[in-house]
Amino acid sequence: MSQCCRKIKDTVQKLASDHKDIHSSVSRVGKAIDRNFDSEICGVVSDAVWDSREKQQQILQMAIVEHLYQQGMLSVAEELCQESTLNVDLDFKQPFLELNRILEALHEQDLGPALEWAVSHRQRLLELNSSLEFKLHRLHFIRLLAGGPEKQLEALSYARHFQPFARLHQREIQVMMGSLVYLRLGLEKSPYCHLLDNSHWAEICETFTRDACSLLGLSVESPLSVSFASGCVALPVLMNIKAVIEQRQCTGVWSHKDELPIEIELGMKCWYHSVFACPILRQQTSDSNPPIKLICGHVISRDALNKLINGGKLKCPYCPMEQNPADGKRIIF
């Protein structure tokens, strides 16, 4: 009994010693979090900048639902719609349902639904200069080649599908037809072994997603993921600006919904459209204040044009040409 008590006591002491070492490390984590993270980031922006809380909540819920649909989490999206009483039209869901159905088939290496979709949208895909249909036919041909000599006649017969693409993809078609010479010896040990690379399936999924989203009017990346990534870049800058504003006791620096107090570089990945800033007022143009092209070719904003009118005439701020303000034409980038 005394030996057991001694053994238990030694074990408890060892556990206490180990726990002490772990506890000292864990206790420093909280201090590190407090030191490196702002506990309240909502205060970065004044509430007056945004819409009402109900409007914010509805926009956020819609963004989350769209993200879930785009990621293929259809059941989760439906559950969120029910719990949040968010009404989503079937017309909104349908493109995502079709997109995910075809992508699931491609992940299972079933080309049928994707080929059917590509053929039915052939004309619109050609307008986008898309090579999706050719890549799908090429992948099906490669699958036949992987079947060995038994599939040679079927592969030759299927090669007729390449005829409409011969002018644009001549070199790739020549490579595939040349691989037939090594079919009996095995493509794995031939100069054409790259045709059997599994990376072709990942590539076709990316190509289909990009082209299908273009045709269906969807973004390749969900707005929620883009907003989150942009926020991670912009938030530290905005927090620094907030600290400067509070330190200098500046007011009214940021009171508009459509613009930030400073320009924040998010990188080329976040460039989605052309942006024009008026060289006179140093403001970004908008639908209510569009860019106007003068007769002389210089471009200014409409607000700047209205401020430069003197006696019914307008003198270009960059050249001495006088002109009628009504002759200015709106530019759409």
Side-chain angles (χ1 to χ4, degrees):
M1 182 68 72
S2 62
Q3 288 178 354
C4 288
C5 290
R6 195 162 43 249
K7 189 179 290 185
I8 292 172
K9 186 177 180 180
D10 293 341
T11 303
V12 170
Q13 287 179 349
K14 185 177 184 303
L15 289 173
S17 177
D18 293 343
H19 181 267
K20 185 178 180 181
D21 294 338
I22 296 172
H23 183 267
S24 62
S25 300
V26 172
S27 62
R28 288 196 292 267
V29 173
K31 296 177 182 178
I33 291 174
D34 294 338
R35 186 170 59 253
N36 292 285
F37 292 90
D38 196 317
S39 58
E40 182 54 62
I41 61 174
C42 296
V44 172
V45 184
S46 171
D47 290 338
V49 173
W50 309 111
D51 294 319
S52 63
R53 183 172 292 276
E54 293 76 15
K55 184 70 173 178
Q56 290 181 49
Q57 188 173 9
Q58 185 179 5
I59 293 173
L60 180 60
Q61 289 173 350
M62 197 65 192
I64 294 173
V65 167
E66 183 175 346
H67 176 79
L68 293 172
Y69 275 126
Q70 195 151 353
Q71 296 298 316
M73 303 177 185
L74 307 181
S75 60
V76 182
E78 291 293 338
E79 188 69 27
L80 177 59
C81 289
Q82 291 179 8
E83 293 188 7
S84 62
T85 64
L86 191 65
N87 186 21
V88 180
D89 295 334
L90 183 61
D91 293 339
F92 176 82
K93 302 178 187 178
Q94 193 58 40
F96 297 106
L97 297 175
E98 185 177 21
L99 190 67
N100 282 289
R101 176 182 65 85
I102 298 173
L103 278 174
E104 285 179 6
L106 286 176
H107 288 143
E108 296 174 0
Q109 299 191 357
D110 179 8
L111 294 169
L115 272 169
E116 183 181 346
W117 185 90
V119 171
S120 63
H121 294 83
R122 177 177 294 167
Q123 189 57 43
R124 294 180 65 191
L125 287 171
L126 289 175
E127 293 173 0
L128 290 175
N129 294 322
S130 169
S131 58
L132 174 63
E133 187 179 353
F134 168 74
K135 288 182 177 180
L136 289 168
H137 285 304
R138 182 185 66 177
L139 200 52
H140 187 79
F141 183 82
I142 291 172
R143 290 190 69 180
L144 293 174
L145 293 179
E150 295 79 8
K151 294 286 186 177
Q152 183 172 4
L153 290 177
E154 188 178 349
L156 284 169
S157 176
Y158 192 83
R160 297 172 185 171
H161 289 88
F162 296 138
Q163 191 274 330
F165 311 101
R167 185 174 60 86
L168 295 175
H169 302 279
Q170 180 180 353
R171 176 59 184 162
E172 294 170 272
I173 295 172
Q174 288 173 345
V175 169
M176 285 187 289
M177 300 312 294
S179 66
L180 291 169
V181 177
Y182 293 88
L183 201 57
R184 293 188 180 279
L185 299 175
L187 288 182
E188 298 84 357
K189 300 177 182 179
S190 73
Y192 299 93
C193 61
H194 64 277
L195 293 176
L196 303 177
D197 196 336
N198 282 329
S199 62
H200 293 305
W201 288 99
E203 180 190 349
I204 201 65
C205 288
E206 291 177 7
T207 303
F208 171 77
T209 302
R210 183 183 65 249
D211 293 349
C213 286
S214 296
L215 259 62
L216 297 172
L218 304 172
S219 58
V220 178
E221 294 184 82
S222 73
L224 182 64
S225 61
V226 173
S227 301
F228 182 81
S230 302
C232 289
V233 176
L235 190 58
V237 181
L238 294 176
M239 291 175 68
N240 291 336
I241 289 297
K242 178 200 171 191
V244 172
I245 291 174
E246 290 178 348
Q247 183 180 2
R248 299 185 180 180
Q249 298 182 349
C250 301
T251 57
V253 176
W254 187 7
S255 58
H256 300 284
K257 296 180 185 178
D258 303 332
E259 60 183 32
L260 297 173
I262 60 168
E263 184 175 347
I264 299 176
E265 181 60 52
L266 298 177
M268 289 289 293
K269 189 178 179 181
C270 292
W271 288 16
Y272 295 101
H273 54 81
S274 300
V275 173
F276 177 77
C278 176
I280 306 301
L281 300 181
R282 306 291 183 184
Q283 293 178 348
Q284 184 176 316
T285 53
S286 61
D287 291 338
S288 59
N289 180 30
I292 304 294
K293 176 179 173 293
L294 306 180
I295 295 177
C296 55
H298 294 112
V299 181
I300 58 177
S301 66
R302 177 176 288 170
D303 287 351
L305 182 144
N306 293 333
K307 290 183 179 181
L308 291 171
I309 296 175
N310 187 8
K313 289 290 183 179
L314 169 69
K315 185 175 181 180
C316 176
Y318 287 96
C319 64
M321 180 179 290
E322 285 194 358
Q323 49 202 291
N324 187 343
D327 293 335
K329 295 184 177 179
R330 176 176 177 176
I331 291 181
I332 299 177
F333 292 105

